[in-house]
Amino acid sequence: MDVGKYVGRTIEMIYLDRHNRFSKRKVKVKSVDGQIVRAYCLEQRGPRVFRVENILAVQPVKIA
């Protein structure tokens, strides 16, 4: 999955968390370094780190 093209953009993604449960987040992608995605979670209002291999789906969010 090419998450790198979303750096600087807000996306909604579905991923497997560290306990292998499905989760959905709305995040602003800050950087992608190899297999690590650093983002700001808009719901939790804080930085988060995701593994590319656990991201199942990505959709850009349209800001109105």
Side-chain angles (χ1 to χ4, degrees), residues 6-17:
Y6 296 111
V7 171
R9 296 182 64 191
T10 300
I11 61 171
E12 188 170 66
M13 67 179 184
I14 298 172
Y15 70 100
L16 290 175
D17 69 11

Side-chain angles (χ1 to χ4, degrees), residues 1-4 31-38 50-53 55:
M1 173 146 328
D2 183 17
V3 183
S31 68
V32 179
D33 184 22
Q35 295 298 307
I36 300 296
V37 176
R38 296 184 189 282
F50 304 94
R51 298 176 79 61
V52 170
E53 65 202 34
I55 298 173

